[in-house]
Amino acid sequence: MRKSFDLKRLLFIIGGILICLFFAFPYYWTVISSIAPESELYQNPATYFPSNPSLEWYKIVLGGSFPRNILNSCIIATSTTIICLVLGSLCAYALSRLKLSISYILLGAILAVRLFPGISIVAPLYMVFRNLGLTNTYLGLIIPYTSFALPLTVWLMTAYFNTIPSQLEDAAKTDGCSPLQAMTKVILPLSLPGFIATCLLIFVMTWSEFFFALIMTYTDKAQTVTVAISQFRGIHEIRWGEMAAGTMFVSFPIILLVVITQKKIISGLTVGAGK
Amino acid sequence: MSIGSKWTELRKNGLNEKQLSYLLLLPTISIIGMVFFLPIVMSIWYSLHKIDLISPASGQPWVGIQNYVDLVKEARFQNSLRVAFLYIFLTVGGNLLLGLGVALFMNQTFKWRGIARTMILLPWAVAPVISGLMWKWMYNTQFGVFNDILLKLHLVSRPVDWLSSISGTLPAISFSAVWRHTPFVSIIILAGLQTISPELYEAAKVEGASSWRCFFHITLPLIKSVLLIALLFRTVGAFNYSFSLVYVLTGGGPVNTTEVLTLYGYKTLFEFLQFGRGSAIAVVISAIIGMIAFAYIKSIGLKRYV
């Protein structure tokens, strides 16, 4: 029989609500700030439910150069994702299937690259890119992003390929397929879920990058959303309403992705951590 | 065999396995080699020279390990190293404790679990630098919601300057990093929890073990390796992401009390334009991360992936 009052259960519910509030509240606050008119945004005490919601900040943000920054981010993130998926999964396939003596060293090197921060390579890249005229271009960001996202791709895809039994290819080969055909016709279609998870993680990682974008781009020609939002400055302060509206534009697509595909993302994150 | 006949053989049989695998590895290896390993070597080379972009006329003379010697003696470098480790300690500690709590919570079955999971994943969808800006607005002394809540709960009597106190600013930054990075930790720990067979708990319950005993004698030992992975990933991540958070939240202030090593390195390179000295800082950072990465690879063991 269920007890009418269960202290343990009550504590559990309160704890759960507090945890969810902690994680969701900053986002709620950004939404509120993005629709609060200036008079309510800079008001004491703060308004938790704006009485006159307006889309003023969104109009201001869209009227400036921000749409261009969104386009830049889209192009850079999409190109990086495609390049990484194609090259990285080929490499992962070789590591997973065709047993090589150098696989061990390679996987170690790839994992090491994943852990290093941008600052360890940024100075020479900046010098070389400046000489080649690659600063403030899409390529100037796609190249470093690819080198950081490729190891993640290889790592995730190797793990996915390892879950597909190699008997499938052996059967294909017995039926007269070449190793290349066995890969493209049997294994690639089967690893589609892995591809989707990897694709999402690379896209989010590239979309969110700040350090290289800050250094390599300096005008709206190639500047990405993260840098643009961090530079919504007035004379003294960041213009908070615009920051909030910009944040909504940048985060909303990702949040939508997370809501729709959270199971895939979670599986990618856990494999990515090397579980 | 002549090239011609080799080519005919290739056309007839396709590539053999070994040739195919090297062909598949080649693009990734060359990109990582050229855009990662080569720049690392170049960073080391730069760090042994005096390169001031402000005065290009002075050339780039070889100075040996002078840049490193200067750094070790410099108070600002020592400070940034100390701040970086304090930041990592606060952030990763918070990540693991809260992440474990959240994972245990999510491991229960309850009605709105799907909604709760989405809410907990929200911070992960926000770029770290943007999460920094969101928190900067919440920490705002005059209009920030943080002070508003604390004033309403009567926890403080007047607004607190969260981002300009000598001792309180670094914890405030770490707190925002705990918010941004805990979802990742809890997802990894949750995956670990879900591998534990429920029969173990049932058996323990039959023998009369309390929930606390179950936690310390079954749960913790079985998720030890997952916790280790989360610890090492977050340590490296905290080191790397400290830049964007501190850059937007305080820029290193007040009086350099939040200037982490990555931020100091960035300033030396791109504000003071001292590429030799800045590269020396980059090499120090790489060495620290390298040691952590080595420990990580050793602890998980690569064998089962190859």
Side-chain angles (χ1 to χ4, degrees):
Chain A
M1 279 301 285
R2 225 181 122 171
K3 276 182 278 178
S4 56
F5 178 76
D6 188 340
L7 185 69
K8 249 188 184 168
R9 182 145 187 90
L10 188 72
L11 282 177
F12 175 76
I13 293 172
I14 293 174
I17 291 175
L18 281 180
I19 285 174
C20 292
L21 264 184
F22 171 68
F23 286 112
F25 183 77
Y27 207 75
Y28 171 75
W29 190 246
T30 311
V31 176
I32 292 302
S33 304
S34 75
I35 55 170
E38 185 145 11
S39 57
E40 288 182 37
L41 189 63
Y42 297 106
Q43 186 187 337
N44 232 331
T47 2
Y48 291 83
F49 309 97
S51 43
N52 301 302
S54 85
L55 293 176
E56 200 53 38
W57 301 117
Y58 289 87
K59 278 188 205 143
I60 296 176
V61 164
L62 283 184
S65 55
F66 198 62
R68 173 71 198 219
N69 301 124
I70 295 181
L71 178 74
N72 293 342
S73 277
C74 283
I75 294 176
I76 291 168
T78 313
S79 322
T80 308
T81 308
I82 295 172
I83 298 172
C84 287
L85 272 187
V86 173
L87 301 182
S89 52
L90 293 180
C91 174
Y93 182 75
L95 287 177
S96 158
R97 281 303 191 269
L98 313 159
K99 299 293 172 196
L100 296 168
S101 42
I102 59 162
S103 299
Y104 185 77
I105 304 163
L106 252 175
L107 222 57
I110 280 168
L111 181 60
V113 175
R114 268 194 68 193
L115 298 174
F116 276 84
I119 197 167
S120 25
I121 62 168
V122 76
L125 278 188
Y126 177 78
M127 296 284 248
V128 172
F129 283 11
R130 206 179 55 164
N131 290 338
L132 295 174
L134 285 176
T135 45
N136 209 28
T137 65
Y138 291 151
L139 215 52
L141 284 182
I142 293 173
I143 295 173
Y145 288 178
T146 302
S147 94
F148 274 103
L150 257 181
L152 176 69
T153 320
V154 172
W155 189 256
L156 290 172
M157 289 312 295
T158 308
Y160 277 109
F161 288 143
N162 280 346
T163 63
I164 299 170
S166 59
Q167 284 94 321
L168 284 174
E169 293 138 282
D170 296 341
K173 281 176 206 158
T174 325
D175 290 343
C177 282
S178 73
L180 192 66
Q181 282 173 322
M183 177 179 89
T184 51
K185 297 211 170 127
V186 180
I187 302 305
L188 290 190
L190 279 175
S191 33
L192 196 65
F195 273 108
I196 295 171
T198 312
C199 181
L200 288 168
L201 289 179
I202 304 173
F203 191 87
V204 173
M205 175 180 165
T206 321
W207 182 264
S208 313
E209 209 280 339
F210 178 65
F211 185 71
F212 274 96
L214 178 72
I215 288 164
M216 294 290 183
T217 62
Y218 36 86
T219 68
D220 289 319
K221 193 184 138 217
Q223 214 156 46
T224 59
V225 283
T226 46
V227 183
I229 291 182
S230 73
Q231 293 179 350
F232 279 163
R233 281 174 197 284
I235 303 166
H236 299 297
E237 264 275 274
I238 295 172
R239 297 190 297 265
W240 293 112
E242 289 177 43
M243 184 283 293
T247 300
M248 292 311 296
F249 275 118
V250 175
S251 313
F252 192 69
I254 308 286
I255 284 175
L256 213 62
L257 274 179
V258 170
V259 172
I260 299 169
T261 61
Q262 44 174 297
K263 290 219 171 98
K264 289 218 164 57
I265 287 186
I266 289 173
S267 78
L269 282 178
T270 40
V271 172
K275 196 185 86 64
Chain B
M1 213 193 310
S2 74
I3 294 170
S5 63
K6 249 193 173 164
W7 182 241
T8 353
E9 193 200 306
L10 262 184
R11 301 244 343 228
K12 203 170 88 213
N13 299 335
L15 293 167
N16 72 30
E17 288 215 347
K18 207 165 180 184
Q19 291 163 329
L20 177 68
S21 39
Y22 284 114
L23 192 68
L24 297 178
L25 293 174
L26 193 65
T28 301
I29 294 179
S30 28
I31 289 176
I32 293 177
M34 300 232 314
V35 193
F36 184 81
F37 286 102
L38 183 64
I40 291 254
V41 175
M42 284 169 81
S43 279
I44 298 173
W45 181 249
Y46 285 2
S47 74
L48 302 173
H49 293 76
K50 183 176 163 61
I51 307 174
D52 283 350
L53 295 190
I54 287 182
S55 49
S58 59
Q60 306 184 343
W62 169 272
V63 293
I65 57 163
Q66 193 58 45
N67 282 325
Y68 294 96
V69 174
D70 291 347
L71 276 182
V72 171
K73 286 185 195 152
E74 193 195 37
R76 190 170 176 180
F77 173 78
Q78 295 164 2
N79 173 62
S80 65
L81 199 63
R82 202 174 44 88
V83 173
F85 280 109
L86 185 58
Y87 169 84
I88 289 174
F89 176 74
L90 292 174
T91 308
V92 179
N95 278 153
L96 287 183
L97 285 180
L98 187 62
L100 182 61
V102 173
L104 289 171
F105 164 65
M106 292 300 297
N107 201 30
Q108 311 292 318
T109 36
F110 53 94
K111 208 170 168 188
W112 290 308
R113 202 168 140 198
I115 296 171
R117 189 172 57 190
T118 311
M119 283 168 94
I120 286 162
L121 265 179
L122 277 180
W124 183 81
V126 180
V129 60
I130 291 176
S131 77
L133 288 168
M134 287 162 66
W135 281 82
K136 190 174 186 176
W137 172 225
M138 294 200 298
Y139 280 141
N140 191 297
T141 311
Q142 210 182 340
F143 304 111
V145 67
F146 219 70
N147 276 333
D148 193 72
I149 293 173
L150 292 181
L151 284 170
K152 278 191 178 128
L153 294 174
H154 299 288
L155 288 173
V156 294
S157 52
R158 54 189 183 82
V160 181
D161 260 344
W162 291 104
L163 296 179
S164 44
S165 82
I166 299 286
S167 59
T169 308
L170 196 68
I173 297 176
S174 305
F175 192 67
S176 68
V178 168
W179 177 78
R180 170 59 180 77
H181 295 289
T182 297
F184 170 74
V185 175
S186 45
I187 286 169
I188 298 180
I189 298 178
L190 180 62
L193 287 176
Q194 284 170 346
T195 60
I196 304 176
S197 134
E199 282 134 47
L200 278 176
Y201 294 107
E202 280 157 27
K205 284 262 152 63
V206 169
E207 300 199 358
S210 69
S211 307
W212 282 110
R213 279 186 69 92
C214 284
F215 177 73
F216 283 108
H217 292 278
I218 300 174
T219 316
L220 268 191
L222 285 175
I223 58 168
K224 209 178 86 192
S225 66
V226 177
L227 284 176
L228 192 65
I229 288 168
L231 171 73
L232 287 155
F233 249 79
R234 273 312 301 148
T235 309
V236 172
F239 210 112
N240 299 352
Y241 284 122
S242 59
F243 170 80
S244 30
L245 267 188
V246 179
Y247 179 86
V248 293
L249 276 164
T250 62
V255 282
N256 295 343
T257 47
T258 60
E259 191 175 73
V260 287
L261 193 55
T262 40
L263 182 65
Y264 182 44
Y266 167 81
K267 284 182 180 170
T268 311
L269 286 169
F270 295 99
E271 284 176 16
F272 316 145
L273 296 173
Q274 298 173 328
F275 264 54
R277 192 196 184 98
S279 296
I281 299 176
V283 171
V284 171
I285 293 173
S286 310
I288 295 172
I289 298 291
M291 282 187 275
I292 302 174
F294 182 73
Y296 172 68
I297 293 171
K298 278 298 242 194
S299 67
I300 62 165
L302 266 184
K303 280 246 157 59
R304 55 197 169 113
Y305 296 98
V306 187

